[in-house]
Amino acid sequence: MTPTRYQQAFILHFGEMGSRWGINRTVGQIYALLYVSESPLNADDITGALGMSRSNVSMGLKELQSWRLVRLRHLPGDRREYFSAPEDIWQILQTLVEERRKREIDPTMSMLRDALMESTVKPSDEYARHRMQDMLDLMELVTGWMNELSDLDRATVVKLMKLGGGVKKLVGVRAKPAASAAS
Amino acid sequence: MTPTRYQQAFILHFGEMGSRWGINRTVGQIYALLYVSESPLNADDITGALGMSRSNVSMGLKELQSWRLVRLRHLPGDRREYFSAPEDIWQILQTLVEERRKREIDPTMSMLRDALMESTVKPSDEYARHRMQDMLDLMELVTGWMNELSDLDRATVVKLMKLGGGVKKLVGVRAKPAASAAS
C-alpha cells in the first residue's frame, strides 16, 4: 500500500514531532500510519508504505506495543500478525496519560518518598527536604486526581471539561449552605 | 559549593530522568541543583557543584530559561548573573504544562486544522479525515479546559482536585432540577 498525499502529510508530521514526544521518527510515522488506516496492517504493509527497513518497523511496533498504543490482531485464514491503533480516541488519551505517568512521574515519586523517609536530616538539608516535600505533595495531589478522573464515566468527564471555569461556581456552591447557616 | 549527600541523590535522579522528560542529563542536574538551593547560584557555583564544563552549564541555563523554569537575577553589588528556580511549586507546574503544550501539542493542532480545512478530500481519505477530526476535537477540548483551569484561583483548583471522583455528584446535581421539572 502507498499512503495518499493526505495521509502522508499526517505521517510526516508525526515523524517530525516524535523527538518532542520522546519517541523516534520511525515510531512516530508507524503510529500515524496505523492511526489513519481503516484496516489493520502487517509489517510488510508498513515497510512498503513508509519505505523503512523491516527491522526498524519491527522495533517500532515493539515500542508502540510496550506503550499499549497499538494492538496485535490476527485475521481469519492469515497467520501473519496485524496491527491497529485503537478506534476510541479517549482510550488512546487515557493510555498515553497512564504510560507517561509510569515512565515520567512514578520513579520520581518513589525517589522522593525514599528521601523523605530518612529520619536523620542535617539542618543544612532542611531547605532541600522542604522543597522535595512540596514536590511530592503536588505530584500526589495531581496524579491522585487524574486517577480518579480516569475512573469516571466519559460523560461526566466531558461535562466537567465543557464547564471549564464554570466549575468554580459549582465547587463554591457546595460550600454555601454551611456558610449561610453559620451567618 | 558542594552539594550535600542528600541534595546529590536528588540531583543525580533528575539527571537520569532527563531523557524521559525530553531534556538532557546536564539540564536535569542543573535544574535539580537550583531547585534545592536556598540562594540563587551563578554559573561558577553550578560548574563547581556539578563538575561539568562551563559551556555545558551555559547551554543548560539557556535551555532552562527558554522553558521559563529558571529565573535570572542580580544581587546587589555583584555584576554576575544569578539563577534560581521559582519558589512556588504551582507556578512551576503551570509553566511546565504551558511549555509542553506549546512544544508538543500546538504544532499538531495547527497541522490538523490545516488538513481539515482542505475542501477537496477524496472518498479514499474520508476515514483519515474523520480520525484527524476526532483527534483535533479531543485536543481542543482538553487544552481549552486546561487553559480555563490555569486561569482559576488556586483554592478552587485544589478543592476540585481533592473532590476527585466526587465531582460526578456535583456535575450531576446541576442537571437535576431540569430533569425533575420535566418528569
Side-chain angles (χ1 to χ4, degrees):
Chain A
M1 66 160 291
T2 311
T4 64
R5 192 189 55 79
Y6 194 76
Q7 293 175 321
Q8 195 64 266
F10 182 75
I11 293 167
L12 292 177
H13 174 80
F14 265 58
E16 280 153 27
M17 292 296 291
S19 63
R20 304 193 184 194
W21 297 333
I23 54 176
N24 65 38
R25 177 183 297 261
T26 56
V27 177
Q29 292 192 354
I30 295 169
Y31 181 74
L33 173 67
L34 292 171
Y35 182 80
V36 293
S37 296
E38 200 160 2
S39 333
L41 303 177
N42 62 42
D44 288 331
D45 298 330
I46 299 169
T47 307
L50 301 179
M52 34 175 97
S53 75
R54 179 63 188 257
S55 69
N56 271 344
V57 169
S58 298
M59 280 195 312
L61 286 169
K62 264 190 204 121
E63 185 167 343
L64 289 167
Q65 282 178 284
S66 83
W67 278 83
R68 295 184 294 134
L69 286 171
V70 303
R71 285 194 188 134
L72 177 62
R73 303 169 61 164
H74 282 92
L75 304 187
D78 189 335
R79 301 176 66 159
R80 289 171 298 179
E81 295 184 328
Y82 283 78
F83 299 89
S84 65
E87 194 67 21
D88 177 2
I89 184 89
W90 280 89
Q91 184 54 54
I92 296 174
L93 174 67
Q94 194 165 337
T95 303
L96 260 181
V97 169
E98 283 168 18
E99 292 290 327
R100 287 199 116 174
R101 204 208 62 221
K102 247 199 278 175
R103 287 166 167 78
E104 301 183 17
I105 301 178
D106 288 358
T108 301
M109 286 174 72
S110 53
M111 184 266 142
L112 291 170
R113 283 195 193 105
D114 288 349
L116 291 164
M117 276 198 324
E118 281 193 33
S119 47
T120 53
V121 170
K122 291 180 212 142
S124 58
D125 284 328
E126 266 314 321
Y127 182 79
R129 188 193 180 95
H130 143 78
R131 289 288 265 172
M132 286 158 78
Q133 185 70 59
D134 271 3
M135 188 179 276
L136 180 61
D137 289 346
L138 185 63
M139 283 175 157
E140 284 180 340
L141 179 63
V142 174
T143 55
W145 179 59
M146 295 189 82
N147 287 347
E148 297 226 19
L149 282 189
S150 84
D151 284 344
L152 287 175
D153 58 294
R154 190 151 315 163
T156 301
V157 175
V158 172
K159 242 186 192 172
L160 177 66
M161 287 187 174
K162 288 195 172 157
L163 261 176
V167 78
K168 184 180 167 68
K169 232 189 261 170
L170 230 60
V171 172
V173 159
R174 214 170 80 137
K176 258 181 199 160
S180 56
S183 67
Chain B
M1 65 161 293
T2 311
T4 64
R5 193 189 55 79
Y6 195 75
Q7 294 174 320
Q8 196 64 265
F10 182 75
I11 292 166
L12 292 177
H13 174 80
F14 265 58
E16 279 153 29
M17 292 296 290
S19 63
R20 304 194 183 195
W21 297 333
I23 55 176
N24 66 39
R25 177 182 298 260
T26 56
V27 176
Q29 291 193 354
I30 295 170
Y31 181 74
L33 173 67
L34 292 172
Y35 182 81
V36 292
S37 296
E38 198 159 3
S39 335
L41 303 177
N42 62 42
D44 288 332
D45 297 332
I46 298 168
T47 307
L50 301 180
M52 38 177 92
S53 76
R54 178 63 187 256
S55 69
N56 270 344
V57 169
S58 298
M59 279 195 311
L61 286 169
K62 262 187 207 124
E63 184 167 342
L64 288 167
Q65 281 178 284
S66 83
W67 278 83
R68 295 184 294 134
L69 285 171
V70 304
R71 287 198 186 129
L72 176 62
R73 304 171 58 164
H74 283 94
L75 303 187
D78 189 334
R79 301 178 64 161
R80 288 171 300 180
E81 295 184 328
Y82 283 80
F83 298 89
S84 65
E87 193 67 23
D88 177 2
I89 185 90
W90 280 89
Q91 183 55 54
I92 296 173
L93 174 66
Q94 193 165 338
T95 303
L96 260 181
V97 169
E98 283 168 20
E99 292 290 327
R100 287 197 117 175
R101 203 207 63 222
K102 246 199 280 177
R103 287 165 168 78
E104 300 183 17
I105 301 177
D106 289 357
T108 301
M109 287 175 71
S110 50
M111 184 267 144
L112 291 170
R113 283 195 193 106
D114 288 348
L116 292 164
M117 277 201 318
E118 280 193 33
S119 47
T120 53
V121 170
K122 292 182 213 141
S124 57
D125 284 329
E126 267 314 321
Y127 182 79
R129 188 193 180 96
H130 145 78
R131 288 289 265 173
M132 286 158 79
Q133 185 71 58
D134 271 2
M135 187 179 277
L136 180 61
D137 289 347
L138 185 64
M139 282 177 157
E140 283 180 341
L141 179 64
V142 174
T143 56
W145 178 59
M146 296 190 79
N147 287 346
E148 296 224 20
L149 281 189
S150 84
D151 284 344
L152 286 175
D153 57 294
R154 189 150 316 162
T156 301
V157 176
V158 173
K159 243 188 193 169
L160 177 66
M161 289 186 173
K162 288 195 170 157
L163 262 176
V167 79
K168 184 180 167 67
K169 232 188 264 170
L170 231 59
V171 171
V173 159
R174 215 170 78 137
K176 259 183 198 157
S180 55
S183 68

